[in-house]
Every structure is written in structure tokens, then in C-alpha cells.
Amino acid sequence: MPGVPHHQGNRNVGGFARAWSAAHGGQQCSYFAAYTMSHKGKATSDVSFNPEDPPEAYTSESAYKKVTEYHEAARAMHGLDYDPTNDNIDARLVMCLGKGKQHGRYWMANSVIDSTTTPSLSQIRAQTTSGSGLPPIRERPAYAQARVEALQAQVETSNKRADELEAVVASERAARLATDQRMSDVLAFLQSSLGVTLPPNLTGPPQPPPVVPPFVALHTTPPQSAGSNQVANEHGRPSPPSNGWPEYAPPPPRE
């Protein structure tokens, strides 16, 4: 299918119909025919509506489905001999097929449908039960289902971003390992060719930090026997343990 949404240019469906009519000798062009042909070619081309055309004849698969569904519903409503190219678009039929207006727009040919004369969805629903020939109104998906689909889309987006981030991290890790390997190869070559013994931390894997011994006192007092600590002084009392310093002697009394 072509890569453009339609061939209307800056014209709406009504403008395309007038341009096609002017380019084809004043022939009449209904809004349905204009909508169909605007999704098949330019107004000056020789495109036309043919229900047997495949999807590839349209600019998009969406346009092909809308044209086909409208054509089949119109024939079911008006008879198998009904030709929609001879009539303008039935707004009620568009409302039934499009489940009303979606985001303020009609299902197809929004620019040529008069919203002031088009019945509401509730009015059309009442008409479909009175034998008007209108097809049943398609049910809109429940809000909960739409919410679930939106959440699923968010989850898929998050998973995709996580996969991309994981790929980036793996790539950086591989690049870092490759750099370390190249450095090890260069150092090993230098050691073998120059006969220089390199420090282990340059040629091998990173070494663990040295183990720091526990704190050891710089000055320790050698152990003494219990007997040496019980030396009696001149008064007959045991002297306190010696700590290596001379004992204090009080000065003599003054006369």
C-alpha cells in the first residue's frame, strides 16, 4: 500500500469531490465516492470505486476496511442492488459502525457529516429496535479492558527499556574486560622481551590489601615474681611493686 494516508491534500472530502468533478467533465461525485477515491489516488487521476479492489489498491488497510464494511452494511440495509456511489454517506450508518463518535470525530468522512442533523447514539439505538434496517450498534470495549491494555503497553515499554539497559551494561563490562586483557598481554610481552620483572600488581590480578597486625604495646613491663614484689622496707611493711623508677625519698627535716 502507498505510504500516504490519503490524496486529499489540504481539501476535505467535499473539496475532493468538487475537484474530481471539475477534472472529469463535471460528473457528479458523491461523498462516499470521494472518500473512497481520495484513498486510492489524486482527484485528477482515473481512480474509481470498485468493491472487488484488493486492499493494496488503497492507501491504508484501515481505509479499505472502512469502505468495505460501509458498502456491505449499506447493501444489507437498502438491498443488494444498492450502489453507495450514487448517494451521500448515511450518517446513521456511520454512527452504528463507528460506535458513535470517537474523540469527537465520526468513524469516516468526518468533514461532510452534519452533527446538527445527525441523531445521537441513543436515538439510533431506539431506531434499530423498530425495524429501521440499521445494523446493530457495535459495543465499545469496557473502560477496564482499555485500562488493562494501557497498563500492558506500559509494562512492555518498561521491559524493553530494562532489556536495553541490561545490554548497555553487558557491553560496557565486556569492553572493560577486553581492555584489562589487552593491558595484561602488553605487560606480559614487555616482561618476556625485556627480561624485567614487573610488580605482581601490574602483571596479575589485583592483590588483596595487606593484613595489618593488631596493635602491640611498645613498652611492656617484664613479669616479676610474687616474692620480688613483697620486699619489706625499713618499717617492716612490704614495699609497693617497683615500676622501674627510683623510689621517692622525702627531704630531711629542717633543724
Side-chain angles (χ1 to χ4, degrees):
M1 296 182 185
V4 295
H6 54 72
H7 296 280
Q8 296 172 201
N10 58 356
R11 299 183 294 262
N12 57 18
V13 175
F16 185 92
R18 291 187 293 271
W20 187 91
S21 180
H24 293 80
Q27 299 181 41
Q28 294 295 323
C29 181
S30 67
Y31 289 154
F32 175 79
Y35 177 84
T36 301
M37 292 186 295
S38 68
H39 289 85
K40 298 179 71 175
K42 297 182 178 181
T44 56
S45 63
D46 294 332
V47 293
S48 61
F49 170 71
N50 185 350
E52 302 299 331
D53 285 342
E56 292 75 16
Y58 291 82
T59 56
S60 66
E61 186 176 358
S62 174
Y64 167 78
K65 288 182 177 180
K66 290 180 180 181
V67 170
T68 303
E69 291 177 7
Y70 181 90
H71 178 248
E72 293 176 353
R75 294 182 64 191
M77 181 177 177
H78 300 287
L80 298 179
D81 296 333
Y82 177 75
D83 185 2
T85 59
N86 297 326
D87 197 358
N88 286 325
I89 294 177
D90 190 336
R92 299 176 303 164
L93 196 56
V94 173
M95 289 285 287
C96 292
L97 296 175
K99 299 170 288 189
K101 298 178 69 173
Q102 299 286 345
H103 306 291
R105 296 181 60 86
Y106 292 100
W107 180 61
M108 64 181 293
N110 178 78
S111 60
V112 294
I113 296 179
D114 187 1
S115 59
T116 60
T117 60
T118 301
S120 64
L121 198 61
S122 59
Q123 293 173 340
I124 296 176
R125 184 175 289 108
Q127 295 176 6
T128 57
T129 60
S130 60
S132 62
L134 290 170
I137 299 174
R138 296 176 179 176
E139 295 294 334
R140 295 185 179 182
Y143 173 79
Q145 180 64 25
R147 181 61 178 170
V148 169
E149 293 177 356
L151 292 176
Q152 290 177 348
Q154 293 179 1
V155 170
E156 292 177 359
T157 302
S158 300
N159 292 338
K160 182 179 180 180
R161 292 178 179 175
D163 293 341
E164 293 175 353
L165 180 60
E166 185 177 357
V168 170
V169 172
S171 177
E172 292 179 352
R173 185 185 300 111
R176 185 167 58 252
L177 293 176
T179 301
D180 295 342
Q181 183 63 40
R182 287 195 298 269
M183 181 62 68
S184 299
D185 295 341
V186 170
L187 294 176
F189 172 77
L190 293 176
Q191 184 176 6
S192 61
S193 60
L194 300 178
V196 178
T197 301
L198 300 177
N201 59 344
L202 294 179
T203 59
Q207 301 296 322
V211 178
V212 179
F215 175 76
V216 179
L218 298 180
H219 300 283
T220 59
T221 302
Q224 299 180 0
S225 62
S228 63
N229 291 335
Q230 299 296 329
V231 178
N233 57 17
E234 59 181 353
H235 300 289
R237 294 191 300 268
S239 60
S242 175
N243 55 6
W245 293 89
E247 296 184 0
Y248 172 74
R254 298 176 63 182
E255 296 181 354

